[in-house]
Amino acid sequence: MTQDIKFKTERGSMLIHLDGMFPCTKEKFRKLLKYMKEDVESFDENIEIMKNWLLSEAHYCDEKMKKSASSYFKFHQEWSDCKAHIDSGKWSNGVVMSAAELKEEKAKMKHYKEQFTEFEIEARECKRKCEQYTGFLVIIEMDGGANG
């Protein structure tokens, strides 16, 4: 469910869909806070809505980052195991691999690499978003937490 904030400005009113607003730059965020301050009546309520939304998104991103990191390490270990088998040409128990088994291990290794690369990218993206959302919360506390 999307969260919205609505406030009046000198030129009319604005309806902001928070899901569509974020992620954004710090400059854009500060500009939004400036416009929000123009509507004294709804400012405190809108700030609370925004804080709750940012906290929720930061928590979601943090949890997703942890899951992605866990999956990354799982697939990276599988990839490392395949690489060791391919490099030695033997299974872990010392039995020599056939050409078909070697080909199958190479295919598995390629799949594992694709998987751990995807999870690494996802974890980094989640970490970046989480840091951005918590940074916006700090900005609210510093500049925008109190009207005026």
Side-chain angles (χ1 to χ4, degrees), residues 1-147:
M1 183 177 162
T2 184
Q3 276 289 39
D4 298 334
I5 56 174
K6 186 174 183 175
F7 52 92
K8 296 174 188 165
T9 65
E10 291 176 2
R11 297 182 181 168
S13 64
M14 295 181 87
L15 174 66
I16 305 292
H17 303 289
L18 295 178
D19 288 338
M21 174 75 187
F22 296 99
C24 68
T25 63
K26 285 182 182 180
E27 292 77 22
K28 190 174 179 180
F29 182 72
R30 287 182 196 274
K31 192 172 188 177
L32 174 63
L33 287 178
K34 179 183 161 197
Y35 287 129
M36 287 171 61
K37 286 180 183 180
E38 291 179 16
D39 188 354
V40 177
E41 294 173 13
S42 67
F43 182 77
D44 291 335
E45 180 184 347
N46 284 334
I47 283 294
E48 281 307 308
I49 291 170
M50 187 180 290
K51 279 183 186 179
N52 290 335
W53 187 87
L54 288 168
L55 283 169
S56 173
E57 288 296 307
H59 178 72
Y60 171 77
C61 287
D62 187 54
E63 291 300 313
K64 189 174 178 183
M65 179 183 64
K66 289 175 184 174
K67 288 178 184 175
S68 296
S70 175
S71 296
Y72 164 83
F73 286 114
K74 175 187 160 219
F75 282 107
H76 195 277
Q77 185 60 51
E78 294 289 339
W79 176 83
S80 295
D81 293 345
C82 280
K83 184 165 178 17
H85 295 155
I86 291 168
D87 289 347
S88 70
K90 298 178 183 177
W91 293 108
S92 301
N93 62 4
V95 176
V96 177
M97 298 171 77
S98 68
E101 291 172 327
L102 188 61
K103 184 177 180 180
E104 187 178 321
E105 278 298 289
K106 286 181 180 180
K108 282 183 186 177
M109 189 172 129
K110 180 181 177 186
H111 170 73
Y112 293 143
K113 183 170 184 164
E114 289 169 355
Q115 291 298 305
F116 82 71
T117 301
E118 284 179 29
F119 283 114
E120 179 183 22
I121 290 167
E122 187 175 272
R124 288 178 190 263
E125 178 67 19
C126 289
K127 182 179 180 187
R128 185 189 63 75
K129 281 183 179 180
C130 187
E131 289 171 352
Q132 186 180 50
Y133 293 149
T134 54
F136 289 150
L137 287 166
V138 169
I139 290 171
I140 288 173
E141 292 304 315
M142 290 174 61
D143 321 328
N147 194 0

